[in-house]
């Protein structure tokens, strides 16, 4: 028993130190997803970070209620981790969670601060999980209870009726499964760690699986052979709408890391007519890595708002623009705290510039699909309507907004046809 407690303690010590370091970087603007997706990230660290990011509002509300004074950011990071163990992780005995936090602060900071952390953690541990969560349900403001940043809460509350808002917010708190898509031509997998997923209406012809044991999947020969691409079903909406055909010249002009480009290449049956552009050199390298098993692709670093291609270069263009990511909160929980009207306005301007900059690249009679993984109307339907008002030579064929569901993320895609 004693030995088990010591193991917990030393594991908890290591995890807390890493989590606090990563939280600091996240506070400085690095998205959590990028910080945890490194080789050194282990499963527990990953889960702790995502849980803290998901539940930040509730964690802070509980901490502030019992703290007798303002909580310094460096102590708050430790307390968030400790309380997250008590409320949502439950794998660590409460006494170990309290002790880990106190020892960490004593070692890193000073004894007085450790005393403060001890007092807060003890009060939280004494109250216990059930009572703390009942207090949240009864007394916390709705944006805290639903774990949404205030700006995002105000928008969604104005748009979605009460029940739908609750449903959507709760859905966005459920960790997303790892979904893998079998590449065309790859053999049927015989893996116990995969269970088939019923594809959504826009991806009926795809073979999708949910990964029950990601570690076993990543060790499998099927993964080593790149038989699969890890891809939420919502990301298939845009390539399906573009419906490219063999022999076409296709531009994917916000291409990295390349999930949609791979789906386009499969439909084309070849990579020779596919041109992938992205503004980021680092991210275009990811496209090349993802295309390595298929023999590479044309990959270009450039700005889609001023693209390095002559007019009428393509039969079909995919524009999967940078966006606020509000359709993918399950996978990127920190997005809910980063969302702001100012950031949204900047993104809308960037997206508009990319749309305007690429419109001439489509040949008359060709197609352009504009897509996002946002569910905000300004980035989706309103953006497309503004474009159509400016460009009389384009018509909207159809568009579709998918809200996040239990089996897929949220997404938007519009199919635009150039007349002529
Ligand atoms: C939503 S991601 C694309 C995801 C990609 N379509 C896929 O399926 O893997 C948006 C991409 O746009 C790129 N980007 C942002 N601004 C850009 C610009 N002005 N021109 C080209 N690419 C840009 C980003 O680097 C990012 O890789």
């Amino acid at each position: 028993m004693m030995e088990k407690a010591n193991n917990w303690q030393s594991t908890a010590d290591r995890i807390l130190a890493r989590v606090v370091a990563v939280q600091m970087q996240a506070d400085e603007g690095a998205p959590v997803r990028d910080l945890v997706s490194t080789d050194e990230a282990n499963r527990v660290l990953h889960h702790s970070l995502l849980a803290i990011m998901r539940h930040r509002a509730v964690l802070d509300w509980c901490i502030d209620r019992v703290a007798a004074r303002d909580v310094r950011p460096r102590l708050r990071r430790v307390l968030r981790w400790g309380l997250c163990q008590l409320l949502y992780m439950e794998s660590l005995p409460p006494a170990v969670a309290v002790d880990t936090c106190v020892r960490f602060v004593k070692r890193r900071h000073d004894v007085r601060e450790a005393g403060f952390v001890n007092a807060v953690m003890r009060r939280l541990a004494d109250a216990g999980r059930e009572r703390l969560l009942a207090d949240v349900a009864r007394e916390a403001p709705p944006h805290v209870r639903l774990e949404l940043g205030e700006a995002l809460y105000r928008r969604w509350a104005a748009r979605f009726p009460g029940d739908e808002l609750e449903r959507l917010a709760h859905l966005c708190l459920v960790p997303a499964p790892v979904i893998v898509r079998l590449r065309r031509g790859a053999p049927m997998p015989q893996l116990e760690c995969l269970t088939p997923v019923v594809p959504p209406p826009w991806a009926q012809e795809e073979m999708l699986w949910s990964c029950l044991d990601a570690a076993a999947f990543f060790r499998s020969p099927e993964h080593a052979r790149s038989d699969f691409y890890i891809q939420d079903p919502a990301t298939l909406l845009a390539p399906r709408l573009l419906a490219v055909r063999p022999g076409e010249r296709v531009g994917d002009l916000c291409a990295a890391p390349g999930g949609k480009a791979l789906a386009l290449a499969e439909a084309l049956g070849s990579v020779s007519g596919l041109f992938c552009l992205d503004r980021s050199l680092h991210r275009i390298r990811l496209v090349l890595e993802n295309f390595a098993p298929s023999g590479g692709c044309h990959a270009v670093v450039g700005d889609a708002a001023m693209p390095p291609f002559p007019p009428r270069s393509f039969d079909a263009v995919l524009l999967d623009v940078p966006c606020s990511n509000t359709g993918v909160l399950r996978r990127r929980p920190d997005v809910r705290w980063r969302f702001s009207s100012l950031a949204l306005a900047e993104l809308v301007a960037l997206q508009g510039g990319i749309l305007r900059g690429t419109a001439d690249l489509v040949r008359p009679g060709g197609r352009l699909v504009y897509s996002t993984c946002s569910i905000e109307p300004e980035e989706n339907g309103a953006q497309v309507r503004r474009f159509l008002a400016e460009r009389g030579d384009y018509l909207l064929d159809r568009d579709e907004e998918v809200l996040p569901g239990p089996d897929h993320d949220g997404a938007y895609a519009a199919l635009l046809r150039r007349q002529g």
Side-chain angles (χ1 to χ4, degrees):
M1 187 63 198
M2 191 61 195
E3 193 183 325
K4 200 167 178 196
N6 283 342
N7 285 345
W8 273 328
Q9 186 74 68
S10 64
T11 308
D13 279 350
R14 271 188 292 116
I15 303 279
L16 174 57
R18 276 291 290 145
V19 165
V20 165
V22 175
Q23 282 191 77
M24 275 173 73
Q25 294 176 63
D27 291 349
E28 282 158 17
V32 166
R33 192 186 56 170
D34 298 344
L35 297 173
V36 293
S37 58
T38 61
D39 287 345
E40 63 184 294
N42 63 39
R43 204 178 56 81
V44 185
L45 169 68
H46 189 98
H47 282 280
S48 291
L49 275 164
L50 293 185
I52 291 168
M53 286 299 151
R54 228 171 256 130
H55 297 289
R56 208 175 86 178
V58 163
L59 297 174
D60 283 352
W61 187 80
C62 293
I63 291 166
D64 288 331
R65 267 180 110 212
V66 302
R69 60 168 166 84
D70 275 357
V71 183
R72 303 177 77 169
R74 65 189 192 185
L75 302 185
R76 187 177 291 283
R77 288 184 204 110
V78 177
L79 289 168
R80 279 179 185 161
W81 179 85
L83 179 56
C84 191
Q85 302 301 315
L86 302 179
L87 290 186
Y88 303 112
M89 311 287 287
E90 294 184 275
S91 50
L92 211 59
V96 177
V98 175
D99 191 44
T100 306
C101 292
V102 174
R103 284 170 9 137
F104 179 86
V105 174
K106 210 180 274 176
R107 232 177 18 247
R108 290 282 175 101
H109 306 306
D110 66 50
V111 174
R112 248 175 357 136
E113 288 191 324
F116 172 74
V117 165
N118 185 38
V120 173
M121 278 302 292
R122 277 198 192 286
R123 262 186 243 158
L124 293 166
D126 287 349
R129 181 175 187 275
E130 304 305 317
R131 211 189 92 201
L132 289 172
L133 291 179
D135 288 352
V136 169
R138 217 179 29 247
E139 294 168 36
H143 68 274
V144 169
R145 195 170 50 74
L146 297 177
E147 303 278 14
L148 293 171
E150 279 193 70
L152 193 56
Y153 170 78
R154 276 197 302 274
R155 292 175 66 78
W156 284 12
R159 179 174 168 201
F160 300 109
D163 284 358
E164 206 179 328
L165 174 64
E166 295 270 332
R167 192 194 64 82
L168 186 59
H170 287 298
L171 244 164
C172 292
L173 286 171
V174 178
V178 176
I179 306 285
V180 297
R181 179 175 74 82
L182 188 68
R183 295 197 195 203
R184 297 240 172 106
M188 281 297 276
Q190 306 288 332
L191 286 173
E192 279 182 13
C193 59
L194 297 182
T195 182
V197 169
V198 178
W202 60 86
Q204 283 297 308
E205 67 278 23
E206 298 294 349
M207 305 263 233
L208 304 174
W209 279 268
S210 180
C211 221
L212 304 173
D213 178 349
F217 171 73
F218 288 121
R219 279 195 308 269
S220 70
E222 284 85 347
H223 172 64
R225 280 200 310 263
S226 304
D227 288 356
F228 294 98
Y229 190 78
I230 299 170
Q231 194 160 36
D232 186 88
T235 65
L236 296 166
L237 181 66
R240 292 299 160 261
L241 212 52
L242 195 57
V244 296
R245 296 176 290 270
E248 287 191 315
R249 266 175 75 90
V250 178
D252 181 347
L253 302 184
C254 291
K260 296 185 182 77
L262 283 170
L264 294 175
E266 286 178 10
L268 284 169
S270 147
V271 290
S272 64
L274 178 64
F275 294 80
C276 294
L277 175 121
D278 200 280
R279 192 171 61 176
S280 153
L281 171 63
H282 157 71
R283 288 174 64 82
I284 211 79
R285 289 201 179 110
L286 301 178
V287 176
L288 289 169
E289 266 172 40
N290 281 320
F291 270 89
S294 335
C297 69
H298 303 291
V300 183
V301 177
D303 182 350
M306 289 182 289
F309 301 106
R312 306 175 178 208
S313 286
F314 300 113
D315 300 300
V317 163
L318 175 60
L319 278 187
D320 185 34
V321 294
C323 70
S324 65
N325 298 122
T326 57
V328 293
L329 295 189
R330 297 186 311 165
R331 295 180 195 281
R332 304 196 54 183
D334 49 324
V335 161
R336 70 193 72 216
W337 317 119
R338 294 179 192 283
F339 183 90
S340 73
S341 309
L342 183 62
L344 179 67
E346 286 172 3
L347 281 165
V348 168
L350 175 67
Q351 295 156 353
I354 291 176
L355 246 177
R356 280 191 295 276
T358 47
D360 284 335
L361 299 188
V362 178
R363 68 160 170 83
R367 288 112 56 219
L368 187 157
V369 162
Y370 169 87
S371 71
T372 71
C373 57
S374 157
I375 58 169
E376 306 314 308
E378 291 91 329
E379 297 178 87
N380 296 340
Q383 183 75 270
V384 167
R385 283 195 298 279
R386 203 168 29 249
F387 172 75
L388 292 172
E390 286 171 16
R391 294 287 306 223
D393 54 341
Y394 271 92
L395 286 179
L396 175 65
D397 183 308
R398 67 203 143 103
D399 67 348
E400 193 169 344
E401 181 191 70
V402 174
L403 292 178
D407 304 319
H408 54 77
D409 290 333
Y412 172 82
L415 171 61
L416 304 160
R417 289 188 188 276
R418 191 170 186 195
Q419 304 305 291

